[in-house]
Amino acid sequence: MPGLSDSTSADVRVLAAAIDAVGSDQHLDKLVDVIALLVPHDLVTVVRYSVSERPEFVSHRNYSDEMVANYLDRYYPYDPFYRQWREQQKPGVVRLLAAAPVQYVADFLVQSVITDELGVLLEDGPVWCLGIFLDRRKGRFSRSDVARIEAQFPVLAALHALDTRARGLAFRRTAQPPVTGLRPPRHPIALAPEERIWPELSARERDIVSLILTGHPTIGIAAKLGLARGTVKNHRRSIYAKLDITTERELFLRYLDTIR
C-alpha cells in the first residue's frame, strides 16, 4: 500500500493480517490496524450508522465507556456524520464538519478531549455504513493526512466489502438492540447573544468567538470576515487574554457554563 510508513515489511504484514481476518471476528480490529498506520492519531472509534436506526457503537481504543454511554443516550442526533449518512448514504473519507451543532462540538467533543476527527465511511450492508474514526486530542488533521487516507480508500473499501459479502443480510456487529434513530435537528440551537455573555470583548472579538463556537478554523474565520489570518490570530490571543483562558476547549466550557 503506497503511502504507508517507511517500515514497508511491517506494513505489509499488517495488511496481510487484515486480508486473512476477512469473515472472522478479528476483521474490524485488523482493518483498524491498517487505517491506523496511515496518519498519526490519539484515539480510534468505530460506529455503525443506519438511515433509520440509532447508531451502534462498535468498538473504541483509548476511549471511556462513560463517553460511549453519553453518546448513545444524548449526543448521537447531533453527530454530523450520523446526519451525513442518513441524508446522503455516501461512503468515503470525511472530516469533522465545520457546521457541526454547537451542542456536539462544544459539549460532547470537549468532554471527549477531541479537537479533530477524521473518518472512513464504508458500506456495511443495506442502508448501513461502518465509520472508523481517528481522533486527535490536540491540533487538526492536515490536508496531506486526508489525502493519504483518500488514496488508500479503494483498498480499504474492497477489503471491507469482502467481509460484508461473507455475512448474512441480518448481520449485526454488536449486541445493541435495534432502536429507531432520532432525526438530527434541522438547525443547531442558536448561540446566546454574545454581548450578554462576553461584555469584556469588542464587537469584532464577539464575531470571532461566535465562529469559533460553531466550528470554524482560523482560515475559515478570516475568509468569512474578510480579515488576514494573522489578524484573526491576534484577535484570538486578545480574546484568550481578556477571558483568562489558554485554549479553545476552555472557551467552549466558558460558553456552556454561562448559558446553563
Side-chain angles (χ1 to χ4, degrees), residues 144-198:
S144 62
D145 290 332
V146 178
R148 196 172 301 118
I149 294 186
E150 287 178 334
Q152 304 304 330
F153 181 79
V155 175
L156 302 171
L159 185 59
H160 188 60
L162 289 175
D163 185 78
T164 58
R165 285 199 290 269
R167 314 284 185 172
L169 293 179
F171 174 75
R172 301 187 75 90
R173 296 194 182 273
T174 74
Q176 183 180 313
V179 176
T180 300
L182 297 175
R183 287 183 177 276
R186 296 308 305 173
H187 303 285
I189 295 175
L191 298 177
E194 289 83 358
E195 187 171 359
R196 174 178 65 81
I197 297 177
W198 320 109

Side-chain angles (χ1 to χ4, degrees), residues 8 10 18 28 39 132 217 258:
T8 305
L28 286 186
V39 297
I132 300 175
T258 303

Side-chain angles (χ1 to χ4, degrees), residues 51-233:
V51 298
S52 60
E53 293 184 25
R54 184 179 69 171
E56 294 181 4
F57 213 109
V58 181
S59 68
H60 54 92
R61 298 180 181 181
N62 303 321
Y63 207 83
S64 74
D65 290 335
E66 180 182 2
M67 288 310 303
V68 172
N70 286 342
Y71 173 83
L72 293 174
D73 291 342
R74 177 178 178 186
Y75 292 109
Y76 80 83
Y78 302 106
D79 179 346
F81 304 119
Y82 170 68
R83 178 173 187 163
Q84 181 173 326
W85 182 256
R86 280 182 61 119
E87 295 180 352
Q88 300 179 24
Q89 294 93 60
K90 184 179 179 181
V93 181
V94 290
R95 290 286 305 270
L96 182 66
L97 306 183
V102 69
Q103 298 96 319
Y104 188 76
V105 174
D107 203 345
F108 179 68
L109 294 189
V110 163
Q111 292 184 47
S112 307
V113 200
I114 292 172
T115 60
D116 201 9
E117 195 163 46
L118 179 60
V120 178
L121 298 186
L122 301 165
E123 291 183 343
D124 198 44
V127 305
W128 285 89
C129 86
L130 191 75
I132 300 175
F133 298 100
L134 305 181
D135 300 321
R136 281 192 177 163
R137 289 181 169 135
K138 185 178 181 180
R140 299 184 183 277
F141 290 102
S142 67
R143 291 182 180 178
S144 62
D145 290 332
V146 178
R148 196 172 301 118
I149 294 186
E150 287 178 334
Q152 304 304 330
F153 181 79
V155 175
L156 302 171
L159 185 59
H160 188 60
L162 289 175
D163 185 78
T164 58
R165 285 199 290 269
R167 314 284 185 172
L169 293 179
F171 174 75
R172 301 187 75 90
R173 296 194 182 273
T174 74
Q176 183 180 313
V179 176
T180 300
L182 297 175
R183 287 183 177 276
R186 296 308 305 173
H187 303 285
I189 295 175
L191 298 177
E194 289 83 358
E195 187 171 359
R196 174 178 65 81
I197 297 177
W198 320 109
E200 60 268 76
L201 303 183
S202 69
R204 174 61 79 193
E205 288 169 342
R206 288 195 294 269
D207 289 341
I208 290 172
V209 166
S210 180
L211 291 170
I212 292 171
L213 291 174
T214 49
H216 292 81
T218 295
I219 190 171
I221 294 171
K224 280 185 170 292
L225 299 181
L227 301 173
R229 292 179 65 180
T231 301
V232 174
K233 289 180 180 179

Side-chain angles (χ1 to χ4, degrees), residues 10-23:
D11 296 344
V12 169
R13 285 197 296 271
V14 171
L15 179 58
I19 294 171
D20 188 57
V22 165

